[in-house]
Amino acid sequence: MTLRILVLAVLFMMLAAPLQAASEEVRPETAPLLESVLETAPVEIDGQLLFTVRGVSSFPAEQRAEAIRGRIEKVAANPSFPSNELSTEVVENVTIIMAGEATLMIVSEADAQLEHTSRDHLATLHLMRIQRAIDEYRQSRRSDALFKAGLYGAGATALLVLWIVVLLVLNRWLDKALSRLLKSRVHAVGIQSFEILRSETIWKAFHGLMVVIGVATIIVSAYAYLHYVLALFPWTRFISNGLFALAAGAVEHMGKSVGASIPDILILAIIYYLSRFVLRRLQRFFDAVGQKRVTFAQFEPEWALPTYKLVRILILAFALVVAYPYIPGSESAAFKGISIFIGLVLSLGSSTAISNLIAGYLMTYRRVFKVGDRVKVGDVTGEVIAIRLQVTHLRTIKNEEVTIPNSQILNGEVTNFSSMAGTQGLILHTTVGIGYETPWRQVEAMLRAAAERTSGVLSEPQPFILLIKLGDFAVTYELNVYIRDPHVIAQTYADLHRHILDLFNEYGVQIMTPAYEGDPDVPKVVPREQWYAAPASPGHREEQ
C-alpha cells in the first residue's frame, strides 16, 4: 500500500470522525431525522445517478461527489484498465474502493449507518455500481454506438419533421371541414335585437382555439423529440434528464395542486347545491304566501316577495362566509388584497344605496303604499307603478315618470289618496266666496245641486258644506264630496267646477272670489242664453 493511500485514509477518518461519533450516539429511531438534516449530493456519470454521498463542514457533499465523479471518469476514460479489476481494501474503520493503485472513494461507518446497512455491504454495492457505470461509459463512446445513436437521432428528426407536416395539413383540413359543417350553425349570441357576440367573432374564437391546440401539439412533440435525441449521446444525456425532470416536476406540482383542491371543491359544491335547494324551497313557500294559499295573521300577502328577497340575501351572505375559506387561492395575498379593495369600494360608495335599500324594506312593511295607489310625495303627485329596493317610480297625471329615492320617501311626508278611498271614500273639497246679500241656504242648495250633477261623486255619504270664513266682503263656503276612484281627482274637480259655474249663473248669483272691491251695477253672471256662445255647442262635453 502506498503512502498516498494511507494519508488519504487517515485524512478521511479524521474528517468523518465527528460524523461517525454523532451517528453512534444517535438512537436508531432518530437516524432518519439526522439523515434528513445532513447535506447530500449525487454522484452522476453521463446523467445517470450512481449513488449519493454525504459530507461534513470541512468537506461538503458537493465537493466530495465531484471528486468521486472525476476519479471514476478518469478511470473509465482509460480503456486499458478492466472494470472487473476494481477492488476494496479495509483500512482501520473505512473501506477504500480502488482501481489498481488509484483510490476512487472511501466508505466509512458513518456512511453505512446513515444508509442503514453495514459498511462492507455498502462498499460492495458501490463497487458494483461503479463497474457498471465504467462499462456504460465506455460502451456509449464506442464508434458503432455513436453511429447508431446518430442514425436514431436522424430518424427521430425525420419523424418530427414529417409529424409537423402532417399536423399542419391535418389542422388545415379540419379547419376547412369544421368551417363547412359548423359555420352555418354558429349563430350570434344576443338579447332580442342586440348582439352580444357576433357569429364571426364566435367562429374566429373557435378557429383560434384550433390553432392553439395545433401549436401546443407541436411544442409537446418537439419537447419529446429533444428528450429522446439528447438521451442518445452521453455528453447531452444530463440535459435530457433535466428536461424530463422539469416536465415531471411540473406535472407533479399540478397534480398535487389539483389533488389538494379536490376536497375544497367538493365542499364548495355541497354548499352551492345546499343553498340552491334551500332557496328553491323558500321561493315556493313565499309564492304560496303571495298567492294566499298559505296565510298568517298580521302578515300581508304583498310582503311575501320582498321578504323572500331579504331572506335570500341573508342566505347567500351566510353561504359566502362559509365557502370563503374553501375557495382555491383565498389564502393568497393577492386574493386578500382584492377582497379588501372590493370591501373598501363598497363601504365608501354604497352608503346611499344601503340607506335606500333599507328604506325600501321599511316602506314595504310599514305599508306606506302599494303599486297602483295614488300618492303625493313632496311636490309630486302620481300613481305608483313600481316599487324597487332602491327607488320608487310614479306616473303623474301628465304621463310623466318620476323616480324618487326610497330614503327620501321614508324621511319625507307621503299622502296616500287610495288607502281609504275604497272603504270610506276620498273627500274632495272646493271653496267659493258669495256676497252677504245671498241667503246661505240658497248657496248650499246650489252647491249640493252641482255635486249631484257631477259624475263620480257619491250620494252616500252625502256631500256636506262648511262655512269656513265670514270675510270683509264675502262669505266663504266649502263644498266637500266623496269619490271612490282617486285616479280621477283632476277630472272630478273639473266637472264639479263646471257645474258650480252653471248653477250660479243659472240662478244669477255672483261669485265674489277671489277679490271684491265694490258692487257692480249688473251682477257678473252669464245669462243662460249665452251659455253656448260660439264656438261652444250643447253637445259639448261640459253638458254631459
Side-chain angles (χ1 to χ4, degrees):
M1 181 179 297
T2 62
L3 179 62
R4 185 178 62 179
I5 296 175
L6 291 174
V7 171
L8 287 174
V10 173
L11 178 61
F12 188 81
M13 285 189 298
M14 294 176 61
L15 294 175
L19 180 60
Q20 180 177 357
S23 62
E24 291 175 352
E25 295 175 0
V26 175
R27 293 177 296 178
E29 59 270 18
T30 61
L33 180 60
L34 177 61
E35 182 180 2
S36 63
V37 174
L38 292 175
E39 180 184 6
T40 61
V43 178
E44 296 180 348
I45 303 296
D46 289 342
Q48 299 295 327
L49 176 64
L50 304 184
F51 42 79
T52 58
V53 296
R54 296 164 176 80
V56 292
S57 60
S58 58
F59 193 28
E62 292 184 359
Q63 295 182 14
R64 184 185 177 193
E66 185 64 23
I68 295 173
R69 184 190 65 81
R71 290 193 289 268
I72 294 174
E73 287 184 348
K74 184 177 180 180
V75 173
N78 182 13
S80 61
F81 181 82
S83 62
N84 55 7
E85 292 187 4
L86 294 178
S87 61
T88 60
E89 186 171 348
V90 178
V91 178
E92 296 186 6
N93 292 331
V94 297
T95 300
I96 303 174
I97 300 176
M98 304 178 61
E101 297 295 327
T103 300
L104 296 183
M105 68 175 298
I106 299 175
V107 181
S108 67
E109 289 290 345
D111 292 329
Q113 290 181 8
L114 291 176
E115 292 285 356
H116 308 294
T117 186
S118 65
R119 187 187 69 195
D120 294 338
H121 184 252
L122 182 62
T124 302
L125 293 177
H126 284 352
L127 175 65
M128 296 171 60
R129 189 67 184 91
I130 293 172
Q131 285 178 343
R132 188 164 70 245
I134 292 174
D135 292 338
E136 292 175 354
Y137 183 92
R138 293 172 179 175
Q139 177 66 26
S140 63
R141 283 166 174 77
R142 291 172 54 184
S143 58
D144 57 341
L146 293 176
F147 179 73
K148 185 178 180 180
L151 290 179
Y152 284 148
T157 303
L159 288 176
L160 176 65
V161 173
L162 179 61
W163 173 242
I164 292 176
V165 172
V166 171
L167 280 178
L168 294 176
V169 174
L170 182 63
N171 184 271
R172 183 174 300 177
W173 179 81
L174 284 175
D175 185 52
K176 292 181 179 179
L178 291 175
S179 176
R180 291 192 301 268
L181 180 63
L182 299 178
K183 199 168 185 179
S184 60
R185 301 182 181 182
V186 176
H187 303 289
V189 177
I191 301 175
Q192 297 180 3
S193 62
F194 175 72
E195 288 187 350
I196 300 176
L197 286 177
R198 301 179 60 186
S199 58
E200 294 82 0
T201 304
I202 299 175
W203 174 247
K204 288 180 180 179
F206 184 78
H207 176 74
L209 179 62
M210 294 187 59
V211 172
V212 170
I213 293 175
V215 172
T217 305
I218 292 176
I219 292 175
V220 172
S221 302
Y223 190 91
Y225 162 79
L226 289 175
H227 174 68
Y228 173 75
V229 172
L230 293 175
L232 294 175
F233 302 95
W235 302 282
T236 57
R237 194 168 295 151
F238 73 96
I239 301 178
S240 174
N241 294 337
L243 291 176
F244 178 78
L246 179 63
V251 172
E252 182 182 5
H253 178 71
M254 292 176 60
K256 289 182 178 179
S257 300
V258 173
S261 300
I262 288 177
D264 293 342
I265 294 175
L266 291 177
I267 294 176
L268 290 176
I270 293 173
I271 294 174
Y272 168 76
Y273 284 107
L274 183 60
S275 302
R276 192 175 70 168
F277 174 81
V278 173
L279 288 177
R280 285 184 174 180
R281 296 301 179 273
L282 285 175
Q283 184 178 16
R284 292 181 181 178
F285 172 75
F286 282 108
D287 285 344
V289 174
Q291 296 171 6
K292 298 183 180 180
R293 291 187 284 114
V294 177
T295 58
F296 296 97
Q298 306 300 322
F299 190 91
E300 300 294 333
E302 59 266 19
W303 293 351
L305 180 59
T307 303
Y308 167 71
K309 292 181 179 179
L310 181 61
V311 174
R312 182 178 62 182
I313 293 175
L314 296 177
I315 291 177
L316 291 177
F318 177 76
L320 182 61
V321 171
V322 174
Y324 182 86
Y326 301 100
I327 299 176
S330 60
E331 297 299 326
S332 63
F335 195 95
K336 293 179 179 179
I338 293 175
S339 302
I340 294 174
F341 175 75
I342 294 175
L344 182 62
V345 170
L346 291 177
S347 63
L348 294 178
S350 62
S351 57
T352 303
I354 292 175
S355 63
N356 287 330
L357 184 68
I358 296 174
Y361 278 107
L362 291 177
M363 285 166 42
T364 300
Y365 292 109
R366 289 185 180 182
R367 292 184 290 185
V368 178
F369 47 71
K370 61 181 182 295
V371 175
D373 284 357
R374 188 79 174 177
V375 298
K376 179 180 180 182
V377 181
D379 297 331
V380 180
T381 301
E383 177 186 353
V384 180
I385 58 176
I387 303 175
R388 312 294 185 190
L389 292 179
Q390 296 285 335
V391 296
T392 296
H393 299 266
L394 301 182
R395 182 173 58 225
T396 67
I397 193 175
K398 304 298 184 182
N399 210 26
E400 303 164 335
E401 183 174 343
V402 181
T403 303
I404 305 176
N406 288 335
S407 59
Q408 178 180 339
I409 298 176
L410 189 65
N411 296 327
E413 183 177 306
V414 178
T415 302
N416 192 332
F417 299 103
S418 303
S419 58
M420 302 181 67
T423 56
Q424 302 180 20
L426 177 66
I427 298 178
L428 304 185
H429 64 278
T430 185
T431 59
V432 292
I434 307 299
Y436 282 94
E437 70 279 3
T438 305
W440 63 267
R441 294 176 179 84
Q442 181 186 13
V443 175
E444 291 188 2
M446 289 187 293
L447 291 176
R448 290 192 181 92
E452 292 174 357
R453 294 184 182 182
T454 304
S455 61
V457 173
L458 301 178
S459 58
E460 290 293 337
Q462 294 182 358
F464 61 93
I465 301 167
L466 301 176
L467 277 67
I468 60 174
K469 183 178 180 181
L470 299 176
D472 294 335
F473 307 102
V475 180
T476 302
Y477 299 85
E478 181 184 82
L479 173 62
N480 296 269
V481 298
Y482 291 87
I483 64 171
R484 294 290 187 194
D485 189 1
H487 298 91
V488 295
I489 292 177
Q491 183 60 43
T492 304
Y493 267 125
D495 290 343
L496 181 62
H497 291 157
R498 292 189 187 101
H499 292 300
I500 290 175
L501 290 175
D502 286 346
L503 261 297
F504 279 76
N505 285 326
E506 182 178 348
Y507 290 99
V509 177
Q510 178 175 323
I511 299 177
M512 312 293 291
T513 307
Y516 173 81
E517 295 182 359
D519 292 325
D521 296 335
V522 178
K524 298 296 182 180
V525 297
V526 180
R528 187 179 184 88
E529 60 271 14
Q530 296 182 12
W531 283 7
Y532 300 104
S537 64
H540 198 263
R541 180 180 174 184
E542 285 80 352
E543 188 66 13
Q544 297 178 356

